[in-house]
Amino acid sequence: MTIKINQLHPCFVAEFADVDLSKPIDDATFKEIVEGMDRHAVGVFHGPTLTEEQHADYAERFGPLDPNNGILSTGLKRRISPRLADIANLDHENEKFAKDSRRRMFNLGNQLWHTDSTFKKIPAMYSLLHAHSVAPEGGETQFCDMRAAYDALSQKMKDRIENLVAEHSIFTSRMKLGFTEFSEEERALHPPTRRGLVRVHPGSGRKGLYLASHASHIYGMPVADGKMLLMDLMEHATQREFVHTHHWKVGDLVIWDNRCTMHRARPFDDLAFKRDMRRATVQDLNYPEITVADEKVA
Ligand code: OGA
Ligand code: MN
């Protein structure tokens, strides 16, 4: 079968128009999807709504799933399958989070530009986000193309950043929203990680920027210089020409390649409407251990 692929943005993002993920996908079709993903980095599939098992099983064909689908640890009752991450604004009884709830504060961090799980020991390769219910207004997801953004840098900047390494932590992005109330147990579970600013995308051989709001500073550089450089690169990568907005419909499943894109959720009236999104996350097992010559921050 040759599947129909419609590119939705001049740089990236493909709609896999006629693939029904609730039906078995043969190996030849799956190979076409992988090749399409290597080229386009974000893949959009339309309904029908999948069961949690169908969703997780499909994701698992791309590689092992992240077994840890909760960051906030202590005593939270799950609403959905442990194979999936709960991205909804709903508690275990399917009620909307209260305005001041801790989980609501935490989830607001998804509205900052980021790449999934750069703060985990094993980062995310693919994320597969599936819409069970959507908000009537807002709640879009935006993506930016980190390979196109890299290509557009000056040679001088490419040379400058080639070997730079940033420190990433989930607490860095949450602190940006003023959310600092984490237990010692939660902090201990998520020590900082190191991520090179530039990486080669294996499926395409192209270089891309690798950034997220989880990045705080750059090793071997004064903190303020590193923060400034990170801010400049984030601003560069999220210019309109590199950004695509996905408007969700129930049953949509969007896959993105975290090795060469960033994304963010857009706001919606989460106190009034339910937005039920669930995510399967495929681990980036080949991410190399990064060593830095100069651990200390000047
Ligand atoms: C995610 C995420 C954005 C959204 O699932 O990793 O960042 O629009 N979601 O919900
Ligand atoms: Mn995310």
Side-chain angles (χ1 to χ4, degrees), residues 110 114 116 256 263 279:
N110 280 341
H114 66 284
D116 287 333
W256 60 87
H263 62 278
R279 190 187 80 201

Side-chain angles (χ1 to χ4, degrees), residues 234-253:
M234 291 289 270
E235 196 175 309
H236 168 78
T238 57
Q239 292 176 91
R240 187 172 297 187
E241 64 196 284
F242 306 127
V243 173
H244 173 80
T245 302
H246 181 72
H247 300 269
W248 289 96
K249 291 201 177 58
V250 171
D252 283 357
L253 183 142

Side-chain angles (χ1 to χ4, degrees):
M1 172 180 175
T2 298
I3 50 182
K4 194 156 167 276
I5 294 182
N6 304 316
Q7 191 165 332
L8 300 181
H9 180 279
C11 305
F12 71 141
V13 190
E15 177 186 48
F16 294 85
D18 46 13
V19 182
D20 180 346
L21 296 176
S22 70
K23 304 259 164 63
I25 305 288
D26 62 43
D27 288 345
T29 305
F30 185 70
K31 188 162 170 276
E32 286 181 46
I33 293 172
V34 170
E35 285 165 4
M37 284 301 298
D38 279 341
R39 184 179 158 95
H40 299 284
V42 179
V44 177
F45 298 78
H46 302 295
T49 307
L50 306 179
T51 65
E52 295 193 315
E53 294 314 312
Q54 285 173 331
H55 179 186
D57 288 348
Y58 174 58
E60 213 161 31
R61 280 181 81 167
F62 295 95
L65 302 185
D66 187 336
N68 295 313
N69 285 311
I71 305 291
L72 298 178
S73 51
T74 31
L76 286 176
K77 289 206 186 104
R78 289 193 65 83
R79 187 181 69 96
I80 66 170
S81 161
R83 297 175 77 195
L84 302 173
D86 199 347
I87 312 297
N89 60 326
L90 304 170
D91 66 17
H92 65 283
E93 287 173 330
N94 257 335
E95 295 300 330
K96 296 184 290 292
F97 294 147
K99 192 169 187 174
D100 59 354
S101 99
R102 225 172 148 249
R103 292 179 70 185
R104 176 169 183 268
M105 296 299 131
F106 184 81
N107 284 6
L108 281 174
N110 280 341
Q111 295 181 22
L112 299 169
W113 281 109
H114 66 284
T115 308
D116 287 333
S117 308
T118 61
F119 56 86
K120 290 189 177 181
K121 192 168 169 13
I122 303 174
M125 177 168 77
Y126 288 136
S127 297
L128 296 87
L129 189 61
H130 190 37
H132 290 249
S133 69
V134 301
E137 198 187 343
E140 303 86 358
T141 306
Q142 291 187 312
F143 299 91
C144 74
D145 183 343
M146 299 297 259
R147 293 178 297 192
Y150 177 84
D151 290 345
L153 292 172
S154 68
Q155 190 57 47
K156 196 169 163 204
M157 183 58 100
K158 288 179 184 166
D159 293 342
R160 180 175 174 213
I161 64 176
E162 177 70 20
N163 294 311
L164 294 181
V165 176
E167 183 172 294
H168 289 232
S169 163
I170 183 67
F171 308 112
T172 298
S173 52
R174 272 42 190 181
M175 210 156 60
K176 288 180 179 161
L177 301 179
F179 182 42
T180 53
E181 288 145 45
F182 294 97
S183 67
E184 283 312 310
E185 183 192 346
E186 285 164 339
R187 285 186 188 279
L189 280 172
H190 297 286
T193 57
R194 298 170 187 151
R195 304 292 173 217
L197 258 46
V198 178
R199 64 181 300 188
V200 177
H201 179 256
S204 62
R206 292 176 64 190
K207 282 186 181 171
L209 286 167
Y210 194 49
L211 303 170
S213 296
H214 313 308
S216 56
H217 60 271
I218 293 174
Y219 291 100
M221 204 185 261
V223 171
D225 288 311
K227 282 192 187 300
M228 211 55 245
L229 178 57
L230 289 168
M231 280 193 269
D232 272 350
L233 291 171
M234 291 289 270
E235 196 175 309
H236 168 78
T238 57
Q239 292 176 91
R240 187 172 297 187
E241 64 196 284
F242 306 127
V243 173
H244 173 80
T245 302
H246 181 72
H247 300 269
W248 289 96
K249 291 201 177 58
V250 171
D252 283 357
L253 183 142
V254 178
I255 311 185
W256 60 87
D257 188 333
N258 287 290
R259 299 168 300 182
C260 58
T261 59
M262 281 197 300
H263 62 278
R264 67 172 176 180
R266 299 301 290 149
F268 70 104
D269 189 348
D270 64 302
L271 301 176
F273 301 109
K274 293 183 177 181
R275 178 179 188 261
D276 185 349
M277 310 291 282
R278 307 178 196 189
R279 190 187 80 201
T281 317
V282 181
Q283 292 183 304
D284 187 2
L285 289 178
N286 294 323
Y287 191 82
E289 184 80 23
I290 303 259
T291 49
V292 279
D294 184 2
E295 275 276 353
K296 99 179 168 308
V297 176

